[in-house]
Amino acid sequence: MSVRIAVLCSGGGTNLQALIDAQEAGQIDGKIVLVLSNASKAYALERARKHGIEDKFISKKQLGSDVAFNDAILAELRRVRAELVVLAGYLPIVGEQIVRAYEHRIINIHPALIPAFCGPGMYGHHVHEAVLAYGAKISGATTHFVDEQVDHGGVIMQESVPVLEDDTPDTLAARVLTVEHRILPESVRLFCAGKLGVDGRRVHVL
Ligand code: GRF
């Protein structure tokens, strides 16, 4: 029985698209049953519609508080009986009620090599600007389980890329994004195949 997956996005959804493509190619024993966004204009919602996947916008402003916003998201996850939650370019911090309900069942993609260049405020271009400003020689992407702290849960996969002399945040972002599009579907594939074992902070591929 394939794993029911909900994907949370805030932007263009190229990571979502990589997951959709992997699912449609039969590479993942899972089914994306819902795409949720906090941004009504997120192109990720359009990508879902194009592939016949239910899409839903949940407005933080309308709900008035982080708790109500995350309660509404949790209600959606339960409505569709999601068994795995994937954060694919999702900006809000996931509420602790969701983290508790989905322990070791929320996977996030971060565009750097955690524990470097991560944590509050480190998202999107801010990450690549910080890597270049620091003068780091490699960067990359990380998938990890989500716990109560930002970008802190057990690391599932990482892959590095070189930082080149003439890199700009855009050129580095593009190089990292190609890695993201590889390791996120692979991490989800491993999860759906029951091949991710968790031992404290460490995640083992069984
Ligand atoms: C990517 O850099 C991803 O790592 C970050 O959000 C950016 C856009 O992702 N979390 P996407 O194209 O919306 O999937």
Side-chain angles (χ1 to χ4, degrees), residues 119-141:
M122 274 292 163
Y123 60 87
H125 268 231
H126 300 297
V127 173
H128 309 299
E129 284 157 9
V131 168
L132 294 175
Y134 193 91
K137 299 303 179 190
I138 62 166
S139 190

Side-chain angles (χ1 to χ4, degrees), residues 27-75:
Q27 294 163 357
I28 295 178
D29 185 17
K31 182 174 170 25
I32 301 171
V33 294
L34 177 64
V35 173
L36 269 176
S37 182
N38 59 303
S40 60
K41 300 264 185 299
Y43 189 67
L45 296 173
E46 179 59 30
R47 293 181 191 272
R49 287 189 284 269
K50 281 184 176 172
H51 289 269
I53 299 168
E54 184 182 359
D55 68 293
K56 178 110 180 174
F57 160 56
I58 296 189
S59 165
K60 206 170 182 176
K61 206 161 71 187
Q62 269 171 6
L63 288 159
S65 72
D66 277 352
V67 171
F69 174 65
N70 282 288
D71 282 345
I73 291 172
L74 184 53

Side-chain angles (χ1 to χ4, degrees), residues 81-153:
R81 304 192 323 280
E83 296 161 295
L84 170 66
V85 180
V86 179
L87 310 183
Y90 181 70
L91 295 183
I93 303 300
V94 176
E96 61 182 20
Q97 66 270 54
I98 299 173
V99 175
R100 275 200 305 272
Y102 281 88
E103 190 181 16
H104 297 136
R105 294 194 294 151
I106 307 175
I107 294 176
N108 183 46
I109 177 85
H110 181 73
L113 297 174
I114 289 176
F117 305 107
C118 66
M122 274 292 163
Y123 60 87
H125 268 231
H126 300 297
V127 173
H128 309 299
E129 284 157 9
V131 168
L132 294 175
Y134 193 91
K137 299 303 179 190
I138 62 166
S139 190
T142 303
T143 55
H144 64 95
F145 283 119
V146 170
D147 65 12
E148 276 80 7
Q149 297 178 53
V150 178
D151 296 337
H152 177 268

Side-chain angles (χ1 to χ4, degrees), residues 155-178:
V155 171
I156 300 168
M157 287 184 75
Q158 293 188 298
E159 189 177 315
S160 67
V161 299
V163 178
L164 305 180
E165 278 305 303
D166 57 352
D167 261 333
T168 64
D170 280 341
T171 57
L172 180 54
R175 193 172 310 118
V176 170
L177 203 54
T178 59

